[in-house]
Amino acid sequence: MADKLVFYTNPMSRGRIARWMLEEVGAPYETVVLEYGTTMKAPEYLAINPMGKVPALKHGETVVTECAAICAYLADAFPQAGLAPAPTDRMRGPYYRWLFFAAGPVEAATTNASLGVTADAERQQMVGYGSHALVLDVLERAVSQNEYLLGGRFSAADVYLGSHIGWGMQFGSMEKRPAFVDYVARLQNRAAAKRANALDDALMPKQT
């Protein structure tokens, strides 16, 4: 019997990224919805993720946290989904590049922008991403050259980086540049993305 996949999440979290990735993979999984401040901080869940945050993934006895790691793990655990280049494929380098660019410079730059934190010109060399504007310019070039980050080939890197761009535009930490809008629209038109959004939207608290 295949190892069971258990997905710990909340619909108002980065768990939406992992959900989308799970839907792209197509393997059956169980969803456990946790609440902020209560079940997310309960001893049972802290034994899985001591950070007390979601998402987390349990695959048999293997536990994976952090969205980029979950995306990369699932792509390798289910190679039949074709969501990552093989280790010997020359595109493995760009694949890693954009996954970790999103997890590092993009995450830091957009978080700092949301908090109103900026580094002056003299201190930008101390900041891993340099400046928020530089990150956006690099992203714009990356998503405007081809259909996906790896050319015509969709991958887990698109799931992760595309989610950051979509949320950045939604919450105002990224400019709605035409290249970003077009790229996110292509991604959100995927069947797996639509399924994932519908599943998470159904879990959202009902408005009274």
Side-chain angles (χ1 to χ4, degrees):
M1 180 181 291
D3 288 335
K4 182 179 181 181
L5 278 169
V6 183
F7 170 48
Y8 301 87
T9 190
N10 181 288
M12 296 184 290
S13 76
R14 288 176 174 83
R16 283 181 173 257
I17 302 174
R19 169 86 75 184
W20 177 12
M21 186 65 189
L22 282 162
E23 290 297 318
E24 291 283 356
V25 163
Y29 61 93
E30 174 187 340
T31 300
V32 178
V33 177
L34 300 173
E35 301 300 330
Y36 290 99
T38 56
T39 50
M40 216 176 284
K41 301 297 184 182
E44 294 81 5
Y45 184 63
L46 292 177
I48 294 169
N49 185 359
M51 292 291 289
K53 295 185 177 182
V54 290
L57 184 73
K58 192 171 183 182
H59 188 201
E61 296 302 313
T62 300
V63 173
V64 190
T65 66
E66 314 314 317
C67 280
I70 290 172
C71 289
Y73 176 84
L74 286 170
D76 287 343
F78 298 92
Q80 66 274 18
L83 296 168
T88 56
D89 190 320
R90 66 181 182 82
M91 297 305 291
R92 189 78 170 188
Y95 167 73
Y96 278 142
R97 174 191 181 183
W98 295 117
L99 264 180
F100 291 103
F101 185 77
V106 175
E107 174 81 19
T110 54
T111 298
N112 283 351
S114 298
L115 296 174
V117 176
T118 59
D120 58 37
E122 293 182 358
R123 295 187 177 183
Q124 284 182 8
Q125 63 183 353
M126 299 170 59
V127 182
Y129 59 84
S131 71
H132 187 240
L134 175 60
V135 169
L136 294 186
D137 289 344
V138 171
L139 280 183
E140 184 175 23
R141 288 195 297 273
V143 303
S144 61
Q145 293 177 352
N146 295 288
E147 186 177 10
Y148 301 117
L149 292 167
L150 304 185
R153 182 177 183 177
F154 177 82
S155 73
D158 292 295
V159 172
Y160 188 63
L161 189 143
S163 295
H164 277 281
I165 295 176
W167 284 352
M169 291 193 296
Q170 180 180 351
F171 294 111
S173 59
M174 284 195 184
E175 302 164 10
K176 292 184 178 180
R177 300 184 182 186
F180 296 160
V181 173
D182 291 346
Y183 175 61
V184 170
R186 288 196 298 275
L187 298 182
Q188 289 301 308
N189 197 43
R190 293 181 63 82
K194 292 178 180 179
R195 288 196 306 272
N197 282 328
L199 288 167
D200 278 323
D201 288 346
L203 293 172
M204 291 289 287
K206 300 296 186 290
Q207 299 293 327
T208 58

